[in-house]
């Protein structure tokens, strides 16, 4: 089955630790995205990547880092510099980055900082 | 300024009622796309519909229908004969820019359908 997988589903970390969220897709999509969702709020774009070895900052990139070494993988690292990291993180992909392309989403990772 | 507004934060209806979710958008582009997504309690967003700015024809898919009106910059979503399984958060989104580099979600409307 084609789709997007995110792991783990729930993640706990201690304050001051870096943590990496996994996102893998087997849809052969060029573009991938990371969003953050806070309770009762919409999605905010953290980073996106149009193609392998290239990525761009979104609206709230501070305290986050990404890599895109493989087409199917787009991991997100939440660093200790992120002041309020507790949130629900969603990964998405689209065939390419284009105005008409819908994004397909993974199941999300809920990160809690203790 | 918020590009996509969903004024209804939460709506509750009783099963079998019809319900309309409002979406108002703001753009200066002539070419843009609008989307609706559903986020059930499991958390994963599910794509429902895409509409381009040149197609104002209303669309119906089963119990779902969408009304796009450029004159009022609105793209409203109606669920007919709602069911408990329709309970979710619904997001409207706008895609604009020469290569879709601006993809903005609205804040969402939480719909609760009571049995």
């Amino acid at each position: 089955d084609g789709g997007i997988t995110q792991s783990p589903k729930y993640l706990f970390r201690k304050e001051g630790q870096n943590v990496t969220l996994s996102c893998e897709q087997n849809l052969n999509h060029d573009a991938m995205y990371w969003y953050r969702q806070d309770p009762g709020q919409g999605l905010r774009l953290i980073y996106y990547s149009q193609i392998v070895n290239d990525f761009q900052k979104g609206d709230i990139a501070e305290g986050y880092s990404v890599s895109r070494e493989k087409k199917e993988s787009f991991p997100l690292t939440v660093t200790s510099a992120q002041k309020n990291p507790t949130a629900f993180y969603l990964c998405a992909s689209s065939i390419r980055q284009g105005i008409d392309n819908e994004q397909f989403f993974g199941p999300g990772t809920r990160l809690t900082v203790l | 300024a918020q590009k996509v507004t969903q004024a209804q934060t939460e709506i509750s209806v009783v099963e079998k009622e019809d319900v309309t979710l409002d979406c108002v958008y703001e753009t200066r582009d002539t070419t843009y796309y609008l989307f609706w997504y559903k986020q059930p309690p499991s958390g994963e967003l599910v794509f429902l519909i895409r509409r381009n700015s040149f197609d104002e024809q209303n669309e119906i898919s089963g119990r779902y229908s969408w009304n796009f009106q450029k004159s009022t910059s609105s793209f409203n979503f109606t669920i007919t004969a709602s069911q408990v399984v329709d309970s979710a958060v619904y997001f409207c989104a706008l895609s604009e820019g020469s290569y879709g580099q601006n993809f903005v979600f609205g804040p969402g409307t939480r719909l609760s359908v009571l049995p």
Side-chain angles (χ1 to χ4, degrees), chain A residues 8-43:
Chain A
K9 190 171 178 63
Y10 297 94
L11 189 56
F12 298 88
R13 81 152 215 224
K14 293 182 179 178
E15 209 168 320
Q17 289 180 337
N18 292 357
V19 62
T20 297
L21 282 58
S22 168
C23 177
E24 304 276 331
Q25 54 99 359
N26 60 4
L27 300 167
N28 201 33
H29 286 176
D30 283 330
M32 297 187 74
Y33 313 81
W34 273 106
Y35 291 92
R36 169 181 172 140
Q37 185 179 22
D38 293 284
Q41 297 189 31
L43 280 68

Side-chain angles (χ1 to χ4, degrees), chain A residues 99, chain B residues 1-8 21-36 49-58 66-77 91-97 102-108:
Chain A
I99 192 172
Chain B
Q2 195 165 14
K3 284 181 171 280
V4 180
T5 302
Q6 296 179 254
Q8 306 146 307
L21 310 182
D22 298 333
C23 173
V24 174
Y25 62 93
E26 178 186 331
T27 180
R28 293 182 180 178
D29 291 359
T30 54
T31 301
Y32 54 89
Y33 280 73
L34 297 162
F35 300 79
W36 274 96
I49 191 172
R50 172 186 58 207
R51 172 68 69 210
N52 75 57
S53 52
F54 299 106
D55 181 4
E56 288 192 72
Q57 195 169 14
N58 291 337
W66 290 268
N67 179 259
F68 176 31
Q69 292 194 339
K70 286 178 74 170
S71 60
T72 56
S73 296
S74 65
F75 185 42
N76 297 338
F77 173 31
F91 292 97
C92 180
L94 166 70
S95 177
E96 57 176 0
N102 297 323
F103 195 105
V104 179
F105 283 87

